[in-house]
Every structure is written in C-alpha cells, then in structure tokens.
Amino acid sequence: MRVKSLPENEITRIIIDHACRDWIENTSVDVVVVGAGPSGMTAARYLARKGFKVVLFERRLSFGGGIGGGGMLFHRAVLGEPADEVLREAGVKLTPVGGGIYVVDVAEMIAKLASSAIDAGAKIIMGVTVDDVIFRDNPLRVEGVCIQWSAVQIAGLHVDPIFVRSKAVIDATGHDAEVISVAARKVPNLRLELPGERSAFSELSEQVVVEKTGKVIDGLYATGMAVAAVHGLPRMGPIFGSMLLSGKKIADIVESDLRSK
Ligand code: 48F
C-alpha cells in the first residue's frame, strides 16, 4: 500500500487556505454561541437546524465543558424528562433508572451533542476565547463579539482581538457567565449586576434555570449555568436536564426574535 502525501509547504498552504476561508465566511453570522458545553452545543444544533448561520467559539481544544467530568470524575451523568428527547434525537443511549430519570455515558454524550450540532450545520471553532462584546446604543444592544486565540491569552501576550458581528450572541460559558459579565462591566448604561450562582439545590435549580433562560439585553442571551449566574439561582451538580432544555429554549427565543426583526 502506498500512502499518499504532499510536500510540507503544500500541507501548510492547504490548511491556511481552508482555515482562512472558514474565518472569512464567519466574520458576520446570525448567531454566535460562546462555549461548547451542553447548553451551547444544544443551542447551536437547534439554531442551525432552523436555518440560521451559527458559529460556536470554544476556548479549549475539546468539546463538552463540564460534561466530561461527570460527577467528581465518575464518568456518568443523569438527567430527567423531557430532556431525554434532546439526547435521543442525537442517538445517545439512555438507561432509565426510574421516576423519569436516565443515566448516560459522558463520552457518548459529548461526542453526539457535538456531532449533531455540526451535522445540523453549526460551525464550531476551538481554541478561541470571546473576551468582549461589540455594543451599540439608542437602543442599547449587542451586535457581536471580540475574539482572541486562547493561546495568546494563556501566554499573556498583548495582542488586540478581532471581531465577529452577529444578530445574536448566546452566553453558554457556564458558571461564570463570562460574556455577560464583561458586558455588565464595560457597557455603560447596562446597569446589570450579576449576583452569581447560589449553593446546591438540584431539584429547584433544574426547574428555574430553564424558566429564567432568555434574553439579557437586545442581542445578548443566556443559557445553561450562565442563567444561574445572572439570576442568582442555585447550582444543581451533575444532573444535566436543565442544560439541554435551556439550550433548546434559547434557540426558540432567538429564532422568534430574529424572525420578528
Ligand atoms: O461549563 P459548561 O459545561 O457550561 P453549561 O453548558 O453546562 C454546565 C454543566 O457542564 C455543569 C453543571 C450543570 O449540570 O453545573 O457544570 O452551562 O461549558 C462552558 C464552556 O464554555 C467555554 C468553556 O471552556 C466550556 O467548554 N468557555 C468559557 N468561557 C469562554 C468559553 C469564553 N470566554 N470564550 C470561549 N469559550
């Protein structure tokens, strides 16, 4: 068997050519999702499936956010109905444990949430950190994000970011609600204070995180644990139903806002 290959410079040229095409295509999109955890990948899947142009930026070089750690590194997660439907649609195997609760394997959940978002048409770019928003006033609104290579941030280099414009930005960054936090700090007149999440109360939190999922200001939305940080809600630990349902709900809210414009 002869394995085909290329001269080294050709490998370089093809990579840079195609990566740059992706970047140029994604400088202006319908929706930027920040964070490839359970809520972000779910939101990206449903929005792409609805026909929107979606780019998801993830700081790390891997998918999944808090899924992979399961509960204290035990590689299983639980979730309750009706969130099982979100995983069933992605082909994840669910084992019922009674009372409408299911247990899943975290590696399978990560892989299939990511592949279903990509198959639906969402573009996921890893190794990119969103470090600020673009805003406009009269009326006050968010119109995109500032992005930076995560490696530049980790190295502590002084490098200006670049910009991606969008009709909607979804903060799916988890417990610290990083995008909304920076907007609260740096956008004048927003008058938004983030109380941060509270201690654990899983049953309550699974309910209220989904209920409170929504718009923060025009163009800026919260999903997943970012919702708990914005509204001062309790944490729930390794039960993931609300993360999936919050991602699905924010996709519906963004769709309705974008279609009514
Ligand atoms: O933390 P994460 O999994 O967020 P989530 O969707 O789910 C929370 C659960 O995993 C769990 C829980 C409930 O069951 O308590 O913790 O709310 O995923 C957030 C992702 O966002 C990335 C981060 O690396 C992670 O993969 N991220 C965070 N900040 C940024 C970011 C940023 N500024 N730019 C890009 N990615």
Side-chain angles (χ1 to χ4, degrees), residues 33-41 56-68 70 78 125 127-132 146-148 150 153 171-179 197 206 223-227 235-244:
V33 179
V34 189
S39 65
M41 290 195 288
L56 187 160
F57 294 118
E58 165 55 47
R59 163 182 287 153
R60 293 192 256 180
L61 296 177
S62 56
F63 305 125
I67 302 172
V78 294
I125 304 183
V128 173
T129 295
V130 169
D131 74 356
D132 207 341
C146 307
I147 54 171
Q148 181 58 272
S150 302
Q153 286 210 331
D171 185 336
T173 63
H175 298 258
D176 295 326
E178 287 196 21
V179 182
E197 70 182 26
E206 279 292 271
T223 185
M225 284 313 286
V227 176
R235 66 190 305 178
M236 75 289 288
I239 178 159
F240 284 82
S242 62
M243 299 297 102
L244 303 171

Side-chain angles (χ1 to χ4, degrees), residues 56-181:
L56 187 160
F57 294 118
E58 165 55 47
R59 163 182 287 153
R60 293 192 256 180
L61 296 177
S62 56
F63 305 125
I67 302 172
M72 212 184 78
L73 292 183
F74 290 103
H75 63 271
R76 292 283 184 163
V78 294
L79 57 112
E81 292 171 351
D84 57 313
E85 211 38 54
V86 176
L87 294 186
R88 258 181 238 288
E89 281 180 34
V92 176
K93 289 183 285 302
L94 297 127
T95 306
V97 291
I101 303 294
Y102 299 85
V103 63
V104 294
D105 177 87
V106 293
E108 184 180 5
M109 180 170 163
I110 292 170
K112 291 182 176 171
L113 280 180
S115 77
S116 64
I118 293 166
D119 288 346
K123 182 77 195 165
I124 302 183
I125 304 183
M126 297 183 289
V128 173
T129 295
V130 169
D131 74 356
D132 207 341
V133 296
I134 302 169
F135 82 100
R136 295 289 183 270
D137 47 15
N138 302 319
L140 191 59
R141 62 199 188 277
V142 165
E143 289 203 342
V145 292
C146 307
I147 54 171
Q148 181 58 272
W149 299 123
S150 302
V152 166
Q153 286 210 331
I154 292 162
L157 301 176
H158 183 174
V159 179
D160 265 333
I162 54 174
F163 307 102
V164 172
R165 294 196 52 146
S166 63
K167 297 172 189 155
V169 174
I170 299 177
D171 185 336
T173 63
H175 298 258
D176 295 326
E178 287 196 21
V179 182
I180 297 167
S181 298

